[in-house]
Amino acid sequence: MLTLRQLFLNNNAQTTHFPLLLEFERAEGVYMYDAQGKAYIDLISGIGVSNLGHSNPRVINAIKEQVDKYMHLMVYGEYVQTPQVRFAEKLVSIMPKNLESVYFTNSGSEAVEGALKLAKRHTGRQQVVAFHNSYHGSTHGALSVMGNEEFKQAYRPLLPGVNFISLNNHDDLQLITEQTACVIIETIQGEAGIRLPDVAYMQALRERCTYVGALLILDEIQAAFGRTGKLFAFQHFDIVPDILLLAKALGGGMPVGAFVSSAAVMSAFKENPILGHITTFGGHPVCCAAGLAALEVLIDEKLVEQVPAKETLLRNHLAHPAIKNIRGKGLMLALELESFELNKKIIDTCIANGVITDWFLHCSNAMRLAPPLIISETEIINACAVVTAAIEEHTA
Ligand code: PMP
């Protein structure tokens, strides 16, 4: 009989020649457990998803309650479905005034697609400005605004009229013009290895967009919901986007994304032609029920407020001469090492010793540190000890 691993390799599509091949049976809190009961601490939250850790009881309850009522009823935007309505109401209540209309999608990439389309429709313009080293997803539109040639070159032709600019370069802002429909930027760049814009730069970018009438799209698919120590990352910069992109932690472990804008901007989807963006499963009722419960937990348990102290603890326990830098904000950190080869060896040792981490798509010499926000002080200290020991083992 074939093992699960063999079946996985035979029948499940593979996207690399070297999948991790870890097999987990269950997950709870910050831990995932394999078939032998070995615990692995999750330092990457399933790539920015599990902000509440795994198997939060309130989220599970909300899912179970919704499953008993109904699952899919109709394509997005026709029926008044309680979980979608209540979730949008809650989201809008915690956002700046202009972010009042929530379009739920299936994924982050679909939120990117929807937002780019909306910006074109609202402005009547065709050009887009995006950033070098950015990551916005893997569909054609999202690839078109990805700032990494290696990952997108095989898929051309992509969207025309996309200009790339560099983070924190004020001169480049002149490339945002009256022809620009929108600028899309990760509020904090994730896959670039956690790169932060300067506050003055973000404010100048906001001003430039407003001046030329281009919509500012902030991709917080990775950075929102407390990950950086604020509920939304744009709060670090004292700016507000025209369109906000959410996914990952939005669903509390279930798949849902969203793009959020003013009602006036969103209304462009209603005419010429109608149905400006269509999705069958976007805002699935079970995912929205989970997302609402997750947001309530995040707020009730004051998890965001705890992030800065946890960041400090992490940084303090990761002292080693081989660490060149620890970039980032809150629990969205990149630990920079000399090379990919060294990083990979350290990561493999960490995993063997029960600590899950990885590297970044556009920055292979940095290790991702993005644990669930619920991680305790003791868990941080223990995980840091494993990481530091692995660094020592491969650099001594
Ligand atoms: N934007 C950012 C900043 C992301 O990190 C990701 C996913 N890593 C996406 C968009 C795409 O999201 P998804 O994988 O859900 O399509």
Side-chain angles (χ1 to χ4, degrees), residues 25-45:
E25 282 209 329
R26 63 187 186 87
E28 199 179 329
V30 295
Y31 294 103
M32 303 188 285
Y33 299 90
D34 71 11
Q36 287 70 47
K38 178 176 171 182
Y40 293 76
I41 189 162
D42 184 357
L43 284 197
I44 56 176
S45 306

Side-chain angles (χ1 to χ4, degrees), residues 47 107-110 112 135-137 186 191 219 221-222 247-248:
I47 316 295
S107 67
S109 296
E110 193 195 355
V112 171
Y135 184 83
H136 298 289
E186 293 160 87
E191 295 312 310
D219 179 343
I221 287 166
Q222 218 174 113
K248 294 205 183 257

Side-chain angles (χ1 to χ4, degrees), residues 118-133:
L118 183 62
K120 283 178 160 177
R121 290 288 298 278
H122 174 74
T123 60
R125 304 176 186 177
Q126 298 180 355
Q127 292 186 10
V128 173
V129 169
F131 281 77
H132 293 299
N133 292 320

Side-chain angles (χ1 to χ4, degrees), residues 72 123 155 178 221 229 237 240 267 273 278 304 309 342 367:
H72 178 81
T123 60
Y155 302 105
E178 269 86 11
I221 287 166
F237 302 96
V240 173
S267 70
I278 304 175
V304 187
L342 176 61
M367 181 192 291

Side-chain angles (χ1 to χ4, degrees), residues 46-49 105-112 134-139 142 184-191 219-223 245-248 255-257 332 361 368:
I47 316 295
V49 171
T105 61
N106 293 291
S107 67
S109 296
E110 193 195 355
V112 171
S134 62
Y135 184 83
H136 298 289
S138 200
T139 51
I184 180 165
I185 178 173
E186 293 160 87
T187 313
I188 291 177
Q189 284 192 327
E191 295 312 310
D219 179 343
E220 299 213 359
I221 287 166
Q222 218 174 113
L245 307 183
L246 303 168
K248 294 205 183 257
V256 63
M332 186 173 177
L361 215 51
R368 191 189 309 268

Side-chain angles (χ1 to χ4, degrees), residues 26-29 52-60:
R26 63 187 186 87
E28 199 179 329
L52 304 183
H54 301 275
S55 307
N56 181 279
R58 282 173 68 183
V59 175
I60 291 175

